[in-house]
Amino acid sequence: DGGITQSPKYLFRKEGQNVTLSCEQNLNHDAMYWYRQDPGQGLRLIYYSQIVNDFQKGDIAEGYSVSREKKESFPLTVTSAQKNPTAFYLCASSTFGQRFQPQHFGDGTRLSIL
Amino acid sequence: GEDVEQSLFLSVREGDSSVINCTYTDSSSTYLYWYKQEPGAGLQLLTYIFSNMDMKQDQRLTVLLNKKDKHLSLRIADTQTGDSAIYFCAESINSGAGSYQLTFGKGTKLSVIP
């Protein structure tokens, strides 16, 4: 079955530590996205990528970094510069270049601070 | 800038109809989407409507679009306890070079009372 896999489901970060969230898709989608979800805040876009080796900042990129070395993979690193990282992180993917371009989501990673 | 607004909570009795409302601001929206999020999970695409339509029906779901008022609604007929979830409205906007970004509302939490 095609889909998006996020891992781990739960992640804990110590103060001053960087952590990396994994996102893999086998839908052959060109575009991938990372969102942060806080209670009552909806989804906020962190980074997105429309093609391998290229990515753009979203609305809340500070304290985060990404890479897109392969079409299937778009890992997100939460750096120690992100002072309030506790949230639910969602990865999504979509086709690119068409008007009908719904995003398909993974099951999320919940990040907490120790 | 774009903004999508939804009421945060809705409570209905099992068997009644639920109506979830959404307003958006960008008149150049192409597609509008409804997503469902169950606890601890990612977003699942429920249905969508193209901006030149005013209604779309899909089994128990009816989407109504009033483009003049920039108002979108999702009606769920014969609401079941399994429909309890958060529902997100999203508008798709052409951000140039073949890219269509989604802007999400903050979500409406639907609670179904048995």
Side-chain angles (χ1 to χ4, degrees):
Chain A
D1 271 337
I4 301 178
T5 302
Q6 290 188 241
S7 62
K9 192 165 177 62
Y10 300 96
L11 188 57
F12 298 91
R13 194 191 90 168
K14 294 180 183 176
E15 292 289 338
Q17 189 180 45
N18 293 353
V19 290
T20 297
L21 285 61
S22 170
C23 178
E24 303 275 331
Q25 55 100 359
N26 61 3
L27 298 167
N28 199 32
H29 284 166
D30 289 304
M32 296 186 75
Y33 312 82
W34 274 106
Y35 292 92
R36 172 179 170 140
Q37 184 178 22
D38 295 283
Q41 293 296 315
L43 276 67
R44 292 185 288 171
L45 182 64
I46 305 173
Y47 270 97
Y48 64 100
S49 168
Q50 295 166 345
I51 195 168
V52 173
N53 292 324
D54 189 39
F55 47 82
Q56 285 78 40
K57 292 181 180 180
D59 301 318
I60 55 163
E62 188 175 345
Y64 300 97
S65 66
V66 292
S67 63
R68 186 89 188 275
E69 296 175 4
K70 298 188 300 181
K71 186 175 182 178
E72 301 80 15
S73 178
F74 191 40
L76 173 74
T77 296
V78 183
T79 75
S80 56
Q82 173 48 248
K83 297 306 178 192
N84 183 22
T86 298
F88 190 51
Y89 290 87
L90 287 161
C91 178
S93 70
S94 74
T95 57
F96 177 69
Q98 302 158 8
R99 281 194 298 178
F100 183 59
Q101 203 172 278
Q103 293 180 14
H104 300 261
F105 285 81
D107 280 336
T109 293
R110 188 166 297 280
L111 176 62
S112 303
I113 297 297
L114 281 179
Chain B
E2 315 87 21
D3 202 11
V4 177
E5 304 226 347
Q6 303 176 238
S7 53
L8 293 182
F9 301 99
L10 176 65
S11 184
V12 299
R13 292 204 173 273
E14 189 174 15
D16 287 350
S17 291
S18 308
V19 179
I20 302 171
N21 294 303
C22 170
T23 57
Y24 60 98
T25 56
D26 197 312
S27 58
S28 64
S29 296
T30 54
Y31 281 89
L32 294 127
Y33 301 93
W34 283 104
Y35 283 86
K36 176 183 180 182
Q37 185 182 33
E38 297 185 0
L43 275 65
Q44 170 195 354
L45 180 64
L46 263 187
T47 187
Y48 59 90
I49 190 166
F50 187 50
S51 56
N52 70 351
M53 299 170 64
D54 51 23
M55 186 181 91
K56 178 180 178 181
Q57 189 148 3
D58 183 2
Q59 297 182 355
R60 291 191 298 123
L61 305 178
T62 303
V63 180
L64 295 178
L65 175 61
N66 180 329
K67 202 171 178 182
K68 173 177 167 288
D69 295 336
K70 298 190 185 72
H71 183 265
L72 180 74
S73 68
L74 173 70
R75 179 176 178 269
I76 305 173
D78 187 24
T79 311
Q80 303 297 307
T81 54
D83 295 323
S84 293
I86 301 176
Y87 291 81
F88 290 92
C89 164
E91 62 173 339
S92 173
I93 298 164
N94 186 351
S95 52
S99 174
Y100 290 83
Q101 297 294 331
L102 294 190
T103 299
F104 290 86
K106 292 184 178 179
T108 299
K109 184 173 183 179
L110 174 64
S111 299
V112 181
I113 305 163

